[in-house]
Amino acid sequence: MASDSLQYFLFLVLISQAINPWIQQGFCTENSRDRCNEIERKSMLQFKESLSDPSGRLSSWTGESCCTWKGVTCDIKTGHVVKLNLRNPFPQTFDPTPESFDGNGMVYELSGKVSPSLVNLQHLSYFDLSMNNFQGTQIPGFLGSLTRLKYLNLSGASFAGKIPSSIGNLSGLHYLDLNSYTDEPVKNDIQWLSGLSSLRYLDLGGLDLSRASSHWLPTINMLASLSELHLSQCQLLNLPNSLPFINITSLSALDLSRNNFNSTMPNWLFNLSSLTDLDLSSNYGIRGQLSRNLGNLCKLRALNLNSNNIFGTLTEVIDGLSECTNSSMETLDLTFNQLSGNIPNSLGFLKNLRSLRLRNNSFTGSIPDTIGNLSSLEQLYLSFNQMSGAIPESLGKLVSLVYLDLHENSWEGVITEAHLINMSRLTEISIGKLSENISVVFNISPDWIPPFKLKFVQIQSCQLGPKFPTWLKNQDQLKNLIINFARISDSIPEWFLRLGLHLDELDLAYNNLSGMPPNSLQFNLGSNVDLSSNSFKGPLPLWSSNLTTLYLRNNSFSGPIPRDIGMVLPLLTDLDISRNSLTGGIPLSIGNMTSLTTLVISNNRLSGDIPDFWSNIPDLYILDMSNNSLTGRIPTSIGSLSFVKFLILSGNNLSGKLPSSLRNCTSTFSLDLGDNQLSGRLPAWIGKDMPSLLILRLRNNSLTGNIPSSICALSSLHILDLSENRLSGIIPTCLGNLSGFKAGLKTEDTEPYEGRLQVVAKGRVLVYQSTLYLVNSIDLSSNKFRGNIPAELTSLFRLGTLNLSMNGLTGPIPETIGRLERIETLDLSMNKLTGRIPQSMAALTFLNHLNLSSNNLSGRIPTGNQFQTLTDPSIYEGNIALCGDPLPTKCENSGTKPYPGGNVDEDENEEDDLEKLWFFLVVGLGYFLGFWGVCASLILKKSWGDAYFNFLLGLKDRIFYLAFAKWRKA
Ligand SMILES: *[C@@H]1O[C@H](CO)[C@@H](O)[C@H](O)[C@H]1NC(C)=O
Ligand SMILES: *[C@@H]1O[C@H](CO)[C@@H](O)[C@H](O)[C@H]1NC(C)=O
Ligand SMILES: *[C@@H]1O[C@H](CO)[C@@H](O)[C@H](O)[C@H]1NC(C)=O
């Protein structure tokens, strides 16, 4: 078939050459500018025929004068078509904004088949079909016989498949762009390139060149005239460190971004002295020290090493660049690497710098004073580093600055008008670090009228108060206003409401704002509101249907949740109205919020039954209705929440059995139904169907029956609280298998926890005070258990709390109890235990709360070590036969020796990541609900991978995204 068409082309070529002189003499004598070569004209008409052109871009292609057709250019002398420019002026696939449709929703793409008749345009030197849609057809091979082509652009035209090697015949080609924006399934080689010796511009971005991974560089190196090379996202693996000789010395732009290189920056790069643009970003694996040789590339205008693994300092590179006679550097992007050290003073010599992006590294020190010399600087991104000190006043000289991003560093000192006075173009400012500690104070005169109109303001943990900042008075362009931990004790001023803002985000959490909430504000589609932890009062505000997240926790809102909340806010994904004084029932309309992932209405005074609408909200991750006055049964449809991670219904008056539908909630981490009036047996399916449980809390109900042995299969369990029920039987020995209470996490174990927390973090996990300090805890107290304390329990050596009090347990305290080396609270009181207190207990160095009272223990109370600190006699009271300190009863003989192995290794550093994580999850966050994202950011590891990170990039919750970005780096 290939040879058939080749013969056909050759035939056409011969014909066209034979009749050319005749056409030129015969028809084109009058005006060869308008009239054109008839064969070329017909060929173009054939080409038009085979295309679909919905917007009529080729409507001028009629009549004889083909040289006047749109997109066609002829040679003035010969009348031959030399240029065909059919680039789609409104590429919609790439930029789906309304503008790309020219406002009319019109499709401007040409599509269909590229007719081989074009082979007759033998004088064509310029051919551009870019940004059209050829629907995955192959690049036509006949293009290889258009031997006069100098310019060929097929980028973004949805060609697919193998690149025909005939393209390699176009030895006169200067410009070749085959950039494919689609995922290309075919693996291409690039041997054919070696014939294109005149090439100056080459873009093969998006094509899978993994087959060329071993020889791509030597092949490219043959193209001695090359000045621009774009091989972004080509799945190249190998970036050779050396080249025997370099022919591509004219290279000025090199884009190797988004490949999979895993090596240091190669040496040959630094010999490319003509280089102006170098992009190695998003390889994730380019590693090693930042080479000082970069500082020799004086022509460099843009350097992008974003998202790699580069460490070292910046000083030598900047020093080097600053010594160039004329620094050209305009864009320096080193985001997401591991660079450290100070930002050098020599930065001030990079006079042409327009964009400096150093986010997410480990830079320390302050901003150099010389930054004020960078009068062209438009973008300054320094967030997520470890910088500190005062922000220099010279910042105020940055007259061109548009974006100022200083977030997540440890700045100190005062920010005054002088810092901001000349920034008339500023639109985005972010500074601070979400934390309770305030180290930066804004000292700005109440009358100051700033020269800028901000769109994005993020100021966190900087003192702006006590008054609502009046310098916002003329900021009528605001879209995102995030001011938290700013010590504002004020009400929202009238003038703020009169600014007529249409906000995307309003976050004034953690201030002391009072009065009525700003009800009259307007919000754009998909916006977020967070007014948590203030003193707002009045009825719950809902604003408009455009909201997707609404956090109003910890205020003084009162009255009922509006009945129509689900109609008003149908798009809501996150609703947290906990810790207010809301009354009445749970509105049925919440069942309309079908996108809800977080519903937290805890700690109010809500009453009535739990509605049965849960099957309408299948994506719910966090459901917390705890500490209200809800009554009735747990509705069956709660079992539809198959993704729910936190199911918290504790502290209500719920009754009846646990619905068996709950066994469908197979992803649950935390099941907390404590402090209700639930009855029936403790179901065995919990152990089988909720394998991810970290927290099982059913305390203070009326559950009966045994502990089913299936519970012992919950290998992640860290909190098991079944206290204050009517459970009976023996304590199963298999509880000793609960591996979550054993050996801390070895590295291989941490992965699943991180994996789990990813999911949790999505909904800004809240922390439940009910589980405060119950880290690694088993509480079976106040039941009717009998039999012995299983010695197996003492193998749970991460256990911090063991409470078996108020049961009917008999027999001795296990001799091996000293193995519970982390135990802090041990309560065995009010049982019928007999025998001695094991000597091994004296080794429990963390023990600070012990209760053995009201048993039948006997003999001498151990002495030494920890027991010296347990001097309260009530610990032991009610045991008639115990003697020795601290009881008044002296022992008869002193037969008992002090415990020999009293000194247990006390490895303070052993506190591993998981333990910290639990600390934050369960304890730390109890104080700052809604603060989880940040805390998680401090403890979670980079190994989460980028997929989730990318997901977060899409999140509107900018604070959380920033917090996430921080930990990713940590
Ligand atoms: C590349 O450079 C080498 C050494 O200077 C030279 O021998 C070779 O001919 C050059 N190749 C091309 C294609 O210019
Ligand atoms: C990158 O290379 C290093 C050293 O050769 C190797 O240890 C590491 O596993 C590689 N990483 C990947 C993702 O291939
Ligand atoms: C919702 O947002 C859209 C655009 O984002 C806006 O035009 C509209 O006025 C908003 N609606 C309300 C009720 O604020």
Side-chain angles (χ1 to χ4, degrees):
M1 165 170 161
S3 72
D4 272 2
S5 46
L6 189 62
Q7 279 171 12
Y8 172 62
F9 300 143
L10 288 176
F11 170 73
L12 289 175
V13 170
L14 283 175
I15 295 271
S16 75
Q17 277 172 0
I19 60 178
N20 250 351
W22 176 74
I23 291 170
Q24 279 178 8
Q25 284 158 26
F27 290 99
C28 302
T29 39
E30 312 121 59
N31 188 348
S32 61
R33 273 169 223 204
D34 294 348
R35 295 186 64 98
C36 57
N37 179 304
E38 184 61 12
I39 291 200
E40 292 182 358
R41 191 180 72 87
K42 285 197 166 141
S43 304
M44 288 195 291
L45 285 176
Q46 260 177 289
F47 168 72
K48 177 188 175 184
E49 285 301 299
S50 67
L51 292 178
S52 148
D53 176 21
S55 66
R57 284 172 52 206
L58 303 183
S59 56
S60 65
W61 286 31
T62 55
E64 301 295 306
S65 317
C66 73
C67 294
T68 63
W69 295 354
K70 201 166 175 211
V72 179
T73 308
C74 297
D75 184 289
I76 293 176
K77 291 207 192 83
T78 65
H80 283 297
V81 174
V82 290
K83 184 169 170 183
L84 210 47
N85 182 359
L86 301 174
R87 181 182 172 86
N88 176 4
F90 302 106
Q92 87 185 62
T93 38
F94 215 45
D95 177 14
T97 56
E99 295 91 304
S100 64
F101 293 87
D102 195 26
N104 309 319
M106 185 73 90
V107 176
Y108 280 81
E109 286 171 348
L110 300 174
S111 60
K113 186 170 172 287
V114 181
S115 163
S117 64
L118 283 187
V119 79
N120 293 327
L121 306 184
Q122 273 297 313
H123 295 265
L124 202 62
S125 76
Y126 184 108
F127 189 34
D128 189 344
L129 272 184
S130 58
M131 309 317 277
N132 288 296
N133 183 5
F134 292 95
Q135 297 151 314
T137 55
Q138 210 177 353
I139 293 174
F142 75 81
L143 291 177
S145 23
L146 297 175
T147 50
R148 288 193 169 90
L149 271 184
K150 289 200 161 99
Y151 181 103
L152 178 59
N153 189 348
L154 304 178
S155 63
S158 297
F159 286 110
K162 228 177 166 63
I163 296 170
S165 54
S166 63
I167 300 284
N169 302 339
L170 300 173
S171 57
L173 213 54
H174 289 172
Y175 186 106
L176 178 60
D177 189 350
L178 301 181
N179 193 317
S180 131
Y181 296 111
T182 52
D183 272 338
E184 180 56 74
V186 172
K187 295 186 193 307
N188 271 291
D189 207 338
I190 53 168
Q191 304 285 17
W192 52 271
L193 267 179
S194 52
L196 304 182
S197 53
S198 313
L199 217 50
R200 292 174 197 161
Y201 181 104
L202 176 62
D203 187 346
L204 300 179
L207 296 167
D208 182 344
L209 303 183
S210 55
R211 280 176 64 180
S213 238
S214 62
H215 56 267
W216 69 272
L217 186 59
T219 310
I220 296 285
N221 194 30
M222 306 293 281
L223 310 175
S225 311
L226 208 58
S227 104
E228 279 203 39
L229 176 62
H230 299 271
L231 297 178
S232 178
Q233 222 175 336
C234 288
Q235 319 216 20
L236 296 168
L237 297 167
N238 181 21
L239 183 59
N241 193 39
S242 60
L243 265 179
F245 49 81
I246 293 200
N247 294 352
I248 44 172
T249 50
S250 317
L251 206 61
S252 68
L254 176 59
D255 177 0
L256 297 174
S257 61
R258 295 170 187 274
N259 282 290
N260 302 314
F261 299 131
N262 176 20
S263 51
T264 54
M265 278 177 82
N267 286 324
W268 52 265
L269 267 182
F270 309 119
N271 293 334
L272 300 175
S273 56
S274 307
L275 219 50
T276 60
D277 293 79
L278 176 58
D279 187 350
L280 299 174
S281 62
S282 298
N283 276 291
Y284 298 99
I286 294 187
R287 51 192 156 79
Q289 194 102 17
L290 186 69
S291 171
R292 60 195 307 172
N293 294 329
L294 275 171
N296 302 338
L297 298 174
C298 280
K299 292 194 176 152
L300 219 47
R301 221 167 41 193
L303 174 61
N304 188 352
L305 302 177
N306 191 324
S307 297
N308 280 294
N309 225 333
I310 294 168
F311 56 87
T313 67
L314 200 52
T315 310
E316 283 159 343
V317 175
I318 301 280
D319 282 358
L321 290 172
S322 70
E323 281 163 20
C324 297
T325 32
N326 219 341
S327 161
S328 323
M329 188 59 87
E330 290 176 14
T331 303
L332 183 57
D333 188 346
L334 304 173
T335 311
F336 282 118
N337 279 287
Q338 290 160 39
L339 294 161
S340 55
N342 288 5
I343 298 173
N345 279 320
S346 52
L347 181 73
F349 290 107
L350 307 185
K351 291 271 196 282
N352 290 309
L353 206 58
R354 290 194 296 131
S355 175
L356 180 62
R357 297 160 170 259
L358 304 178
R359 280 177 43 166
N360 294 82
N361 279 284
S362 301
F363 289 112
T364 50
S366 189
I367 302 175
D369 240 349
T370 56
I371 195 144
N373 298 347
L374 304 178
S375 55
S376 306
L377 199 65
E378 293 166 13
Q379 308 182 343
L380 178 60
Y381 292 97
L382 298 178
S383 57
F384 298 99
N385 278 291
Q386 288 147 35
M387 300 183 70
S388 57
I391 294 172
E393 222 172 78
S394 62
L395 206 67
K397 294 194 217 154
L398 299 178
V399 291
S400 308
L401 206 64
V402 180
Y403 302 107
L404 175 60
D405 174 20
L406 305 178
H407 203 245
E408 295 293 323
N409 284 289
S410 303
W411 307 118
E412 288 160 16
V414 179
I415 291 187
T416 62
E417 289 139 58
H419 285 92
L420 306 167
I421 191 108
N422 292 316
M423 297 181 179
S424 57
R425 297 178 57 198
L426 197 68
T427 64
E428 294 205 8
I429 181 169
S430 86
I431 176 169
K433 182 175 194 165
L434 194 53
S435 121
E436 214 189 1
N437 302 323
I438 289 183
S439 55
V440 174
V441 176
F442 275 65
N443 184 1
I444 288 179
S445 137
D447 318 318
W448 187 57
I449 298 172
F452 44 70
K453 295 275 189 184
L454 297 173
K455 294 197 166 102
F456 182 94
V457 174
Q458 181 176 34
I459 301 178
Q460 294 178 312
S461 307
C462 298
Q463 181 167 344
L464 289 177
K467 282 272 170 229
F468 198 87
T470 47
W471 55 271
L472 292 175
K473 250 181 183 168
N474 70 336
Q475 299 303 305
D476 52 9
Q477 305 294 310
L478 283 172
K479 293 282 176 225
N480 301 66
L481 181 62
I482 304 161
I483 296 183
N484 40 45
F485 286 112
R487 302 214 175 136
I488 303 176
S489 295
D490 198 354
S491 51
I492 305 255
E494 263 307 305
W495 56 256
F496 181 74
L497 301 176
R498 282 199 305 266
L499 287 172
L501 301 174
H502 289 263
L503 291 169
D504 291 328
E505 181 171 19
L506 176 68
D507 179 350
L508 301 173
Y510 304 104
N511 282 293
N512 189 23
L513 291 160
S514 54
M516 299 296 271
N519 276 307
S520 60
L521 284 177
Q522 306 273 316
F523 290 95
N524 293 321
L525 197 60
S527 48
N528 307 308
V529 173
D530 190 347
L531 300 181
S532 301
S533 296
N534 281 290
S535 307
F536 287 113
K537 61 180 171 35
L540 207 60
L542 299 183
W543 291 283
S544 82
S545 57
N546 281 346
L547 297 196
T548 54
T549 66
L550 180 57
Y551 298 102
L552 298 173
R553 57 171 294 114
N554 204 13
N555 277 286
S556 304
F557 292 113
S558 56
I561 303 175
R563 283 171 71 97
D564 59 350
I565 184 168
M567 318 295 178
V568 179
L569 302 172
L571 305 177
L572 215 58
T573 61
D574 293 61
L575 177 65
D576 184 348
I577 49 177
S578 62
R579 293 178 190 277
N580 282 290
S581 305
L582 302 169
T583 50
I586 299 175
L588 285 172
S589 71
I590 285 183
N592 286 19
M593 299 172 156
T594 50
S595 310
L596 216 51
T597 59
T598 301
L599 177 61
V600 180
I601 58 177
S602 56
N603 294 82
N604 280 292
R605 290 186 231 135
L606 301 169
S607 54
D609 288 356
I610 298 178
D612 203 7
F613 50 48
W614 303 99
S615 49
N616 300 340
I617 316 178
D619 297 330
L620 210 56
Y621 269 69
I622 300 176
L623 174 59
D624 184 354
M625 305 196 277
S626 61
N627 301 323
N628 281 293
S629 304
L630 302 171
T631 50
R633 292 168 173 267
I634 298 175
T636 315
S637 68
I638 279 202
S640 325
L641 303 177
S642 48
F643 300 114
V644 77
K645 304 294 173 199
F646 284 79
L647 185 51
I648 316 288
L649 306 178
S650 54
N652 284 292
N653 296 318
L654 301 171
S655 54
K657 293 183 181 169
L658 272 65
S660 64
S661 65
L662 275 183
R663 62 195 303 173
N664 299 326
C665 303
T666 50
S667 330
T668 309
F669 296 157
S670 175
L671 178 63
D672 183 354
L673 309 177
D675 301 310
N676 280 294
Q677 288 149 34
L678 299 168
S679 54
R681 298 177 71 86
L682 179 60
W685 50 254
I686 288 186
K688 296 197 193 81
D689 298 325
M690 295 188 163
S692 310
L693 274 186
L694 301 165
I695 300 174
L696 176 59
R697 188 175 175 279
L698 302 174
R699 67 176 293 133
N700 194 12
N701 279 291
S702 303
L703 300 173
T704 51
N706 300 334
I707 297 182
S709 58
S710 63
I711 295 282
C712 307
L714 295 172
S715 60
S716 305
L717 209 59
H718 278 255
I719 294 176
L720 174 61
D721 187 350
L722 304 176
S723 63
E724 296 183 61
N725 278 289
R726 295 185 207 145
L727 298 169
S728 55
I730 57 159
I731 297 175
T733 54
C734 70
L735 284 185
N737 300 342
L738 286 170
S739 47
F741 294 102
K742 292 194 191 182
L745 295 210
K746 295 166 211 112
T747 14
E748 70 263 29
D749 293 336
T750 56
E751 200 61 47
Y753 286 95
E754 292 182 353
R756 282 162 195 175
L757 279 155
Q758 294 178 25
V759 186
V760 173
K762 179 188 173 191
R764 267 192 174 208
V765 155
L766 306 172
V767 168
Y768 303 102
Q769 299 205 317
S770 49
T771 54
L772 259 178
Y773 57 76
L774 294 177
V775 188
N776 287 326
S777 149
I778 292 182
D779 190 344
L780 305 179
S781 64
S782 296
N783 279 290
K784 297 178 186 164
F785 295 115
R786 52 187 169 71
N788 289 357
I789 299 176
E792 286 79 357
L793 285 185
T794 66
S795 67
L796 304 178
F797 63 87
R798 286 266 153 175
L799 209 52
T801 294
L802 178 61
N803 189 348
L804 303 177
S805 68
M806 290 188 264
N807 279 292
L809 299 171
T810 50
I813 299 173
E815 244 352 282
T816 50
I817 191 108
R819 291 167 65 189
L820 296 176
E821 55 186 52
R822 292 293 175 126
I823 202 95
E824 291 172 29
T825 297
L826 179 61
D827 191 345
L828 306 177
S829 64
M830 295 200 240
N831 280 292
K832 296 172 190 155
L833 300 171
T834 50
R836 290 168 179 269
I837 301 175
Q839 295 286 5
S840 70
M841 277 180 75
L844 298 175
T845 46
F846 288 99
L847 193 62
N848 55 38
H849 179 87
L850 175 67
N851 194 350
L852 302 177
S853 63
S854 302
N855 279 291
N856 297 325
L857 298 166
S858 56
R860 176 186 282 274
I861 295 170
T863 53
N865 292 327
Q866 198 61 19
F867 270 67
Q868 254 148 337
T869 65
L870 302 167
T871 53
D872 178 357
S874 69
I875 292 173
Y876 309 103
E877 76 189 6
N879 289 283
I880 311 265
L882 275 181
C883 65
D885 282 345
L887 290 178
T889 330
K890 297 274 170 282
C891 296
E892 307 267 287
N893 55 22
S894 51
T896 326
K897 280 176 267 160
Y899 182 57
N903 291 320
V904 168
D905 272 352
E906 196 178 324
D907 189 351
E908 297 282 346
N909 300 329
E910 208 191 302
E911 192 168 281
D912 56 38
D913 285 359
L914 180 79
E915 192 140 297
K916 287 182 208 151
L917 185 155
W918 269 92
F919 176 79
F920 281 107
L921 173 63
V922 181
V923 183
L925 298 186
Y927 299 103
F928 301 115
L929 301 196
F931 210 65
W932 165 245
V934 178
C935 290
S937 79
L938 299 174
I939 48 184
L940 296 180
K941 290 204 196 125
K942 188 172 176 165
S943 60
W944 264 17
D946 300 303
Y948 185 60
F949 179 65
N950 289 336
F951 157 73
L952 282 170
L953 281 173
L955 274 191
K956 288 265 162 134
D957 189 339
R958 180 127 175 191
I959 308 180
F960 178 68
Y961 151 58
L962 292 175
F964 182 92
K966 174 65 179 171
W967 74 242
R968 184 183 176 279
K969 188 193 77 78

